[in-house]
Amino acid sequence: MSATPIGIYVHIPFCHRKCGYCDFNTYAMAGAIVDAYLSALHLEIERADCEGDPVVSVFFGGGTPTFLSGEQLADLLRHLRQRFHILPDAEITSEANPGSLTLDQLQRMREAGFNRFSLGVQSFDPDELRRMERIHSPDDVIAGVQMARRAGFTNLNLDLIFALPNQTLERWESNLRRAIALQPEHLSLYALMLEPNTRFYHLYQKGQLSLPDEEVQVEMYRLAQSLTRQAGYEQYEISNFAQAGFRCRHNLLYWHNEPYLGFGAGAVSYYRGIRWTNIKHPREYVRRLREGESVVLESERLMAWASVAETLMVRLRLTDGVDLQELDARFGLPVCEGFLPLFLRLQERGWVQVERTHIRPTNEGLLWHSELSLKILELSERCPLPAL
Ligand code: SF4
């Protein structure tokens, strides 16, 4: 039996309506499909081929997990506990939409063992929220935070987005200050990404969406870094800021490229060197499970060099960077030797700092992480390490 710590992700693909910028695997559906989906999800959990690995984190994401009742969420968690070895101190998170919460629901979740709560705030500005087609108001956020605290949640994350259409630096500062004033233990602050197949993308293509230019976006990011630092948060990842002891354990699994199992429509798993993705549409997911078919849409065994490159890319999202000895030991390969010339070039550009034991991204490296990742990928594809 392996003792590798793993995470579990559960996807709830329902939302009250689709937001204009969202390209997640989520649908404005309700009614019978929700019950059918839950039955299918329980079936997938029941059929999981699990081998007793200790589970250090469980994350309910979406979509909108709190589209479900407290009891439905508690049932799913109970079932996971029956099937997996969830450690007593595991981090158990649910994402939530501030527009669809009740105290009763949160209390039920807390009793069931949820101990971290992540609220999709995005903005405190009513115009920005309207333009994003969010269903909640700024008051809903405040009520949501108060309810979560009353229900006993002591580990709270707020998600915010910057570089929104027509957003000024001042407006972003106001959003940030309002978020910090609510004293969450964790903040996730993302720049808006224009994804194809979203309403925002099509509006932008037609010239009907005005976004802050790149210099302003960089200023917004820098402002987020300085205001959070002043308020006592530590930046530990490109977009993530935590009070001491409150880094997100689940996301750290992804950033360390460690194993996790995903359940639900479109969920991704990475386990024993294989990555697989479930079928995306909830109706097809339900049909396949009902008929005893596999829900796996695609699966690949990662080549060693691809795994190394991915590990380097995700690790360099973290301010802690890459521990070189640990990396060589994990892969049993001379990774450091193979990548050192590239890291030295990236150091000349000012994107990383090469130390005796670690490679760490600089502040510029965090900002240009996508470009930095491309360089790692190019090198690993062009000349994989000799032993790989
Ligand atoms: S609530 Fe979140 S997941 Fe649902 S549509 Fe909006 S952004 Fe997407």
Side-chain angles (χ1 to χ4, degrees):
M1 184 188 293
S2 159
T4 312
I6 65 165
I8 290 179
Y9 174 80
V10 181
H11 191 69
I12 308 299
F14 306 115
C15 287
H16 296 269
R17 71 169 178 236
K18 188 89 178 176
C19 302
Y21 58 94
C22 178
D23 82 328
F24 296 148
N25 185 40
T26 173
Y27 306 82
M29 290 174 154
I33 181 65
V34 177
D35 289 333
Y37 183 81
L38 284 177
S39 303
L41 199 47
H42 280 288
L43 267 180
E44 193 192 6
I45 292 168
E46 193 56 36
R47 290 178 192 166
D49 180 15
C50 50
E51 304 182 33
D53 305 86
V55 177
V56 294
S57 74
V58 181
F59 194 102
F60 284 67
T64 305
T66 51
F67 192 89
L68 303 179
S69 69
E71 200 48 49
Q72 287 168 323
L73 289 165
D75 269 351
L76 285 167
L77 184 55
R78 196 178 306 125
H79 196 180
L80 288 172
R81 285 192 199 283
Q82 286 164 8
R83 297 286 294 126
F84 294 94
H85 175 37
I86 300 180
L87 296 177
D89 63 347
E91 176 188 275
I92 303 178
T93 304
S94 176
E95 290 183 332
N97 186 328
S100 64
L101 289 177
T102 66
L103 179 59
D104 184 55
Q105 179 188 34
L106 295 184
Q107 282 170 333
R108 186 68 201 90
M109 289 167 68
R110 186 69 196 95
E111 280 162 20
F114 285 86
N115 53 28
R116 186 171 184 272
F117 200 62
S118 178
L119 212 51
V121 175
Q122 321 314 358
S123 169
F124 285 92
D125 184 283
D127 289 338
E128 290 177 352
L129 288 171
R130 210 172 302 119
R131 192 167 293 125
M132 279 191 276
E133 301 172 67
R134 298 288 310 192
I135 60 165
H136 69 271
S137 68
D139 286 347
D140 290 333
V141 175
I142 294 160
V145 169
Q146 287 169 347
M147 275 192 276
R149 295 302 193 199
R150 276 182 65 193
F153 283 93
T154 54
N155 188 354
L156 188 61
N157 170 59
L158 303 184
D159 272 351
L160 273 86
I161 300 179
F162 64 93
L164 292 170
N166 300 332
Q167 193 175 50
T168 59
L169 192 61
E170 292 68 31
R171 228 189 246 193
W172 169 234
E173 177 170 353
S174 157
N175 284 342
L176 267 174
R177 289 192 185 281
R178 291 190 68 180
I180 290 169
L182 291 170
Q183 300 182 315
E185 284 70 28
H186 191 284
L187 284 162
S188 295
L189 309 172
Y190 300 104
L192 176 73
M193 300 289 291
L194 276 187
E195 304 288 357
N197 299 323
T198 60
R199 275 191 290 280
F200 270 25
Y201 182 82
H202 294 302
L203 287 173
Y204 185 75
Q205 295 294 89
K206 288 193 269 179
Q208 293 171 4
L209 200 70
S210 161
L211 298 176
D213 59 32
E214 194 172 287
E215 293 86 74
V216 177
Q217 293 193 27
V218 171
E219 277 188 76
M220 288 175 166
Y221 183 63
R222 298 285 184 233
L223 184 68
Q225 289 180 308
S226 65
L227 286 187
T228 50
R229 190 168 47 244
Q230 284 162 28
Y233 293 84
E234 176 202 31
Q235 181 175 15
Y236 69 102
E237 195 266 350
I238 297 172
S239 307
N240 285 276
F241 305 80
Q243 289 180 8
F246 288 98
R247 292 180 178 196
C248 175
R249 180 74 191 88
H250 190 81
N251 284 340
L252 282 170
L253 279 173
Y254 298 147
W255 296 320
H256 288 171
N257 209 18
E258 286 168 350
Y260 52 89
L261 291 172
F263 294 99
V268 177
S269 302
Y270 173 53
Y271 189 67
R272 306 260 150 113
I274 300 175
R275 174 170 306 136
W276 68 92
T277 308
N278 282 355
I279 194 88
K280 287 197 160 173
H281 201 281
R283 290 195 198 284
E284 179 62 6
Y285 172 83
V286 168
R287 186 196 69 72
R288 289 195 185 196
L289 274 152
R290 271 187 186 156
E291 295 178 13
E293 293 176 22
S294 163
V295 288
V296 176
L297 174 67
E298 54 194 22
S299 128
E300 61 170 334
R301 177 172 284 284
L302 292 183
M303 303 293 289
W305 63 263
S307 236
V308 169
E310 282 188 10
T311 303
L312 284 171
M313 290 189 291
V314 288
R315 281 281 179 115
L316 285 170
R317 298 184 65 89
L318 296 167
T319 52
D320 285 347
V322 183
D323 180 326
L324 297 172
Q325 272 190 346
E326 186 199 316
L327 198 71
D328 279 2
R330 171 168 171 184
F331 290 99
L333 294 167
V335 177
C336 313
E337 200 182 298
F339 279 85
L340 194 61
L342 173 66
F343 286 136
L344 290 172
R345 285 205 301 280
L346 294 178
Q347 181 167 248
E348 274 168 33
R349 279 199 178 200
W351 287 357
V352 299
Q353 198 172 331
V354 179
E355 299 170 8
R356 200 174 50 80
T357 56
H358 284 76
I359 309 287
R360 295 182 208 278
T362 59
N363 215 4
E364 283 298 294
L366 292 176
L367 197 57
W368 302 111
H369 180 269
S370 312
E371 286 74 6
L372 184 158
S373 294
L374 273 181
K375 301 276 175 219
I376 293 174
L377 209 55
E378 278 166 20
L379 176 76
S380 64
E381 283 175 354
R382 208 172 50 238
C383 47
L385 293 167
L388 300 179

